[in-house]
Amino acid sequence: MVISRKVQLRLNVFFVTVIILSILVFSMYELGYWDELFTVLAKDNYIFYWMMLVGVFAEIVAGSMGMGYGVICTTTLLFLNIPPHIVSASIHSAESFTTAAGSISHIKLKNVSKSLVKKLAIPAVIGAVIGALCLTYLGEYYAKITKTIIAFYTLYLGFQILSNAFKKKQSKSLKRKTNLTRLGVIGGFIDSFAGGGWGPLVTGTLIKNSFTPRFAVGSSTVAKFILTLTAAVTFFFTLGIQHWNIILGLLLGGIVTAPFSAMLTARLPVKSMFVVIGLLVIVMSSITIYKSVF
């Protein structure tokens, strides 16, 4: 079996990560910090381990559907009653690493249009900073309202994901004019404020408007990395590092799963996954809205 360059790159990242983690674990064991490590990981009702599972699941979904990492993580964390500003800050901190790996893959495979990245990334950075600052203060002082708004947004995304399972393939059409500046600002703001949504909105719009799919996905991924890093840095300066166990769990789950999700992409029943994930997001978002309102 021939391994694609994208899969090979993800495998290399996986093996390097495993080696680094093995060295760290062995060092902690030798220094006598083994018990302390497990005590720390058990904090907040073992949320570190739950976040690892969420990271694994979200990465499998993103690897097969090309979107959904942020939506799955946001929906789950809101469902677990994590404050909205902590949700987005944690997700973007973890995604800074996973989107970096994806961006390198697309650049090496020459799936990236520099002009398209520039037109998307610059306004996306502006939108991401505004979204992060708004969420930092609104999410802290108006947590209940903000949580309800974001839950309604993820509910909408759930219906969008579900509808993708039943869409018929569109015939080729002329490229429709797309306001990339506006798309980038709105996409950056929503992704930063709501914890996810760049893929369904931006990548989906580019493909719908007849941009070449490989360049739409590749360029959108690189722009997403830039806005994710911007959002993570903004949250760091406004909030500091909070709930590192959530960040570490999501990060490890995503990194460990990334090479295998790439291999599974062509084998998983994508239509069925759209249905399952769409229904799951709808149900969890509905429960979150109910708990927030009543």
Side-chain angles (χ1 to χ4, degrees):
M1 181 179 66
V2 179
I3 301 178
S4 69
R5 290 169 60 188
K6 186 175 182 179
V7 173
Q8 185 63 57
L9 179 63
R10 292 191 174 191
L11 282 172
N12 291 339
V13 172
F14 169 72
F15 287 126
V16 170
T17 304
V18 169
I19 292 171
I20 293 173
L21 287 175
S22 299
I23 294 172
L24 288 174
V25 170
F26 179 76
S27 299
M28 295 191 76
Y29 177 77
E30 286 294 310
L31 294 171
Y33 293 122
W34 195 248
D35 292 334
E36 287 83 351
L37 174 63
F38 280 98
T39 300
V40 171
L41 294 181
K43 283 185 176 180
D44 302 320
N45 296 317
Y46 299 94
I47 196 170
F48 167 78
Y49 300 103
W50 289 110
M51 289 304 100
M52 278 194 69
L53 288 176
V54 172
V56 168
F57 182 56
E59 181 59 37
I60 291 175
V61 171
S64 59
M65 293 165 46
M67 62 183 72
Y69 185 93
V71 178
I72 291 293
C73 293
T74 299
T75 306
T76 305
L77 289 172
L78 287 178
F79 183 77
L80 294 174
N81 209 31
I82 305 297
H85 55 294
I86 301 299
V87 170
S88 187
S90 300
I91 291 171
H92 284 92
S93 296
E95 268 194 311
S96 297
F97 296 91
T98 56
T99 53
S103 297
I104 294 171
S105 298
H106 284 296
I107 290 171
K108 284 185 173 291
L109 293 170
K110 298 181 179 179
N111 292 338
V112 178
S113 165
K114 291 182 180 179
S115 61
L116 183 55
V117 170
K118 186 177 179 180
K119 290 176 182 177
L120 284 173
I122 294 175
V125 165
I126 297 171
V129 172
I130 295 172
L133 291 175
C134 287
L135 184 61
T136 297
Y137 299 104
L138 292 177
E140 187 172 356
Y141 296 108
Y142 305 99
K144 189 173 181 179
I145 298 174
T146 308
K147 183 178 179 180
T148 306
I149 292 172
I150 295 174
F152 269 111
Y153 176 64
T154 56
L155 178 66
Y156 162 74
L157 290 180
F159 281 109
Q160 285 289 99
I161 292 171
L162 187 61
S163 68
N164 285 335
F166 306 101
K167 280 183 180 178
K168 294 181 180 179
K169 288 184 178 180
Q170 297 178 341
S171 57
K172 289 185 177 180
S173 57
L174 293 174
K175 185 186 292 186
R176 282 182 276 179
K177 189 174 181 180
T178 307
N179 189 325
L180 296 175
T181 300
R182 183 172 60 189
L183 183 64
V185 171
I186 295 174
F189 176 85
I190 288 177
D191 193 90
S192 183
F193 186 84
W198 174 269
L201 176 64
V202 178
T203 309
T205 299
L206 292 176
I207 294 175
K208 186 175 70 173
N209 288 2
S210 299
F211 281 79
T212 306
R214 60 182 282 234
F215 289 116
V217 173
S219 303
S220 177
T221 299
V222 175
K224 162 76 173 176
F225 163 66
I226 296 171
L227 88 85
T228 298
L229 189 60
T230 301
V233 171
T234 304
F235 281 124
F236 173 76
F237 282 109
T238 55
L239 295 173
I241 298 179
Q242 301 183 38
H243 289 271
W244 66 266
N245 44 0
I246 295 177
I247 298 171
L248 188 60
L250 292 174
L251 177 60
L252 291 180
I255 289 177
V256 168
T257 312
F260 306 106
S261 67
M263 295 176 185
L264 289 171
T265 298
R267 302 182 184 183
L268 290 172
V270 177
K271 183 176 180 178
S272 299
M273 287 197 68
F274 271 123
V275 173
V276 173
I277 301 306
L279 290 174
L280 183 63
V281 170
I282 289 169
V283 171
M284 292 177 71
S285 298
S286 299
I287 294 173
T288 300
I289 292 170
Y290 178 82
K291 290 195 299 183
S292 298
V293 175
F294 298 101

